[in-house]
Amino acid sequence: MPSDLTSANTMTGPLSTRLELDDIQRGVLHQRPSPYVGTYLLLRIDNPEAGRSLVQRLCPVVEFAQSSSDLAQNASISVGFTYQGLKALGVPRDSLASFAPEFRQGMAARAAELGDVGDSSPDHWEKPLGSPEVHVALSVLSPDAAQLETLLDRARRAHEELTGVQVIWRQDCYQLPTGRTSFGFKDGIGQPAVEGAGIPGTNPEEEPIKAGEFILGYPDETGSVGPMPTPEVLGRNGTYLVFRKLHTRVAAYRQYLRAKAASREEEALLGAKMVGRWPSGAPLALCPEQDDPALGADPDRNNHFVFGDDLRGFKCPAGAHARRANPRDALDHEMSVNVRLHRMLRRGTSYGPILPDGVLEDDGADRGIIFVFVGAHPKRQFEFVKTQWLNDGIFIGAPAEKDPLAGASDGTGTFTIPQRPIRRRLQSLPPFVITRGGEYCFAPGLRALHWLAEPHTETAE
Ligand code: HEM
């Protein structure tokens, strides 16, 4: 256990915060290497002793923000536990009860609320996702395949030979050198800066977000320290993770655009209007007419924008995916909405083969993204954004519209593209994203991992 935690000053004043970087998992604060290859493993714990041995063995293997031996290479192993996993480890009842209610329920129980219905409902999820068997999630990421094997070996040594621990799911994943995911768009650009993390932000128009929005135990944007699991050693420096395996219907998406557009140029424009960025990552807010690959590739410029000069959405529609997910200053006139309370760190990744350019027929392959959310408030961050901003349109004055790319579409939806002289309205949007499953996890700090590796007795009621 680290005795002398490395700290960073984040602010002055009554709520002065020092982020204990040695105690926060590296994958929480740091972007992933690009490109990279990786593997997600889900494990089941069959008895608490074996589970605690697993945790013990993971302590030296999981990377922390400032203690990484592989820092230069950006390789990392991260760990999260589901509520069922904490139970399987024998965490006492009063401590279990102190976790966020949605985490305790688990993602499958939240399905109707999240819009995971029809083909996306838990009845159709890939086994064992969403089942009480999922206890531990490991993510192993590395810049290349050789290093990945070394890291996987390390992770394997932590769980093999433990008869009470079983690997029950494996998903390989990757990020292409272009950063593009299955629909062909560069992803992972828009990320908030975390106060005190020492990692510069990419949007100078957005002040760094208070650390307590992402790390438990610190002041958040409300000005106070939010609810935290107890005892403090367990909760502090931890965070919640949401992971979702999202299958993307790339051929259906391409066919839809082809059917709606009069030319290839218009096809590209409609696709960009749905996302809010061009395939290169260049934002419509900065280049509304055509893609600008140099802008898309420039991290100093590709996230430096707001929507205040485009409130009616002539450049970037209010209903575009990225603008819904982060409306920036576009809701400033709505006094009741503070966008800073709904920000999230994303650590998404691609899985499955890319459908070759130009192919419009479905090849039957499973492809998409593993969406990963990191934040201290899963309900008002991930769940709020998914339900109020992606699956609803009240906040942009279009109650019947959902996110055209990632919303819970059912084939009847519309997407409005403001333009002069008259707006364009795309009709009958099919679902382009199907949820294959997922879980809510808790990613503990290092001291908490050590605590989880020890047996704890129930406190008397
Ligand atoms: C398969 C499903 C999804 C795909 C293909 C997808 C794709 C994208 C793309 C291409 C971008 C623009 C690039 C960027 O700014 O990083 C983006 C941005 C974003 N997406 Fe998604 N996304 C998906 C699901 C989701 C979900 C479910 C959420 C949240 C509940 C979400 C939240 C965000 C956020 C917060 C941004 C950044 C917005 C900004 O800061 O400008 N995405 N996504």
Side-chain angles (χ1 to χ4, degrees):
M1 185 182 317
S3 54
D4 179 22
L5 296 173
T6 309
S7 304
N9 265 316
T10 69
M11 58 188 281
T12 54
L15 289 176
S16 171
T17 308
R18 293 168 74 83
L19 269 186
E20 295 165 340
L21 297 176
D22 273 7
D23 200 38
I24 299 168
Q25 289 196 40
R26 177 175 170 74
V28 167
L29 290 175
H30 287 259
Q31 286 268 33
R32 293 156 166 210
S34 181
Y36 66 74
V37 285
T39 299
Y40 287 95
L41 298 172
L42 295 181
L43 294 84
R44 188 186 67 221
I45 296 169
D46 291 330
N47 68 69
E49 293 74 29
R52 290 193 289 263
S53 301
L54 169 73
V55 177
Q56 188 88 59
R57 291 172 178 209
L58 284 172
C59 287
V61 167
V62 172
E63 303 291 344
F64 287 81
Q66 276 197 354
S67 62
S68 174
S69 51
D70 292 302
L71 212 60
Q73 288 77 29
N74 259 326
S76 74
I77 298 182
S78 310
V79 63
F81 299 87
T82 63
Y83 179 67
Q84 297 299 335
L86 296 178
K87 266 170 105 173
L89 282 172
V91 170
R93 269 190 308 246
D94 52 348
S95 176
L96 289 171
S98 66
F99 281 83
E102 56 282 3
F103 167 76
R104 286 188 271 138
Q105 285 178 31
M107 189 182 287
R110 308 288 299 157
E113 177 80 13
L114 293 172
D116 286 333
V117 294
D119 288 347
S120 289
S121 87
D123 296 342
H124 303 292
W125 284 6
E126 190 175 310
K127 299 275 176 293
L129 300 176
S131 80
E133 300 220 330
V134 179
H135 293 162
V136 185
L138 286 180
S139 103
V140 183
L141 298 174
S142 149
D144 60 56
Q147 282 190 66
L148 179 67
E149 269 318 307
T150 312
L151 285 187
L152 276 171
D153 263 353
R154 258 190 239 173
R156 213 171 283 133
R157 279 197 296 274
H159 64 75
E160 70 185 7
E161 295 161 17
L162 289 173
T163 46
V165 173
Q166 305 296 327
V167 175
I168 55 172
W169 188 74
R170 176 184 170 141
Q171 174 71 61
D172 292 330
C173 60
Y174 59 89
Q175 175 164 300
L176 294 174
T178 56
R180 296 188 187 196
T181 56
S182 56
F183 287 125
F185 290 82
K186 183 168 172 168
D187 202 350
I189 307 168
Q191 305 275 9
V194 183
E195 198 175 73
I199 302 167
T202 54
N203 183 9
E205 308 292 335
E206 183 182 61
E207 285 289 308
I209 306 284
K210 295 274 181 276
E213 290 294 314
F214 307 107
I215 312 291
L216 292 159
Y218 299 88
D220 64 22
E221 287 288 329
T222 66
S224 52
V225 178
M228 186 172 77
T230 56
E232 193 192 357
V233 63
L234 176 60
R236 189 171 173 81
N237 293 324
T239 190
Y240 291 102
L241 306 176
V242 172
F243 85 84
R244 285 162 73 76
K245 181 173 179 180
L246 300 174
H247 169 77
T248 50
R249 299 179 62 223
V250 179
Y253 165 81
R254 289 181 185 171
Q255 287 166 20
Y256 183 83
L257 292 181
R258 180 69 49 96
K260 299 294 173 189
S263 65
R264 292 297 160 84
E265 288 73 30
E266 197 189 11
E267 209 173 301
L269 181 65
L270 294 182
K273 293 280 187 188
M274 283 187 186
V275 173
R277 289 184 184 266
W278 295 93
S280 74
L284 287 180
L286 297 180
C287 55
E289 308 290 337
Q290 59 187 32
D291 201 352
D292 177 348
L295 171 59
D298 184 348
D300 292 331
R301 293 192 294 141
N302 65 13
N303 198 37
H304 186 173
F305 65 93
V306 285
F307 296 116
D309 65 339
D310 183 32
L311 287 179
R312 297 183 59 194
F314 287 114
K315 289 193 281 184
C316 177
H321 169 67
R323 182 163 169 171
R324 280 173 176 265
N326 178 14
R328 303 185 185 221
D329 61 337
L331 301 183
D332 280 355
H333 56 294
E334 306 274 352
M335 295 308 285
S336 56
V337 182
N338 178 355
V339 171
R340 295 171 67 83
L341 296 178
H342 309 293
R343 302 290 283 123
M344 61 181 80
L345 295 166
R346 289 173 303 137
R347 300 287 180 255
T349 186
S350 292
Y351 77 88
I354 292 290
L355 189 66
D357 278 348
V359 174
L360 266 71
E361 291 312 311
D362 188 11
D363 61 358
D366 187 14
R367 57 173 61 84
I369 64 168
I370 306 289
F371 170 89
V372 178
F373 152 97
V374 179
H377 304 282
K379 188 164 179 66
R380 76 161 155 79
Q381 294 171 322
F382 167 71
E383 290 201 344
F384 179 92
V385 172
K386 179 74 171 91
T387 60
Q388 306 298 303
W389 288 354
L390 303 195
N391 291 348
D392 207 322
I394 294 173
F395 81 113
I396 52 167
E401 295 199 3
K402 296 179 168 59
D403 185 318
L405 189 75
S409 299
D410 60 4
T412 62
T414 56
F415 172 55
T416 303
I417 303 173
Q419 59 181 28
R420 294 186 178 96
I422 45 167
R423 68 185 171 215
R424 172 96 194 256
R425 191 161 273 165
L426 300 183
Q427 310 279 359
S428 311
L429 275 158
F432 295 126
V433 175
I434 306 292
T435 308
R436 290 268 200 250
E439 254 316 335
Y440 289 161
C441 296
F442 172 68
L446 179 56
R447 283 184 298 215
L449 264 189
H450 284 280
W451 186 89
L452 287 168
E454 299 297 324
H456 299 280
T457 45
E458 299 282 346
T459 49
E461 308 237 324

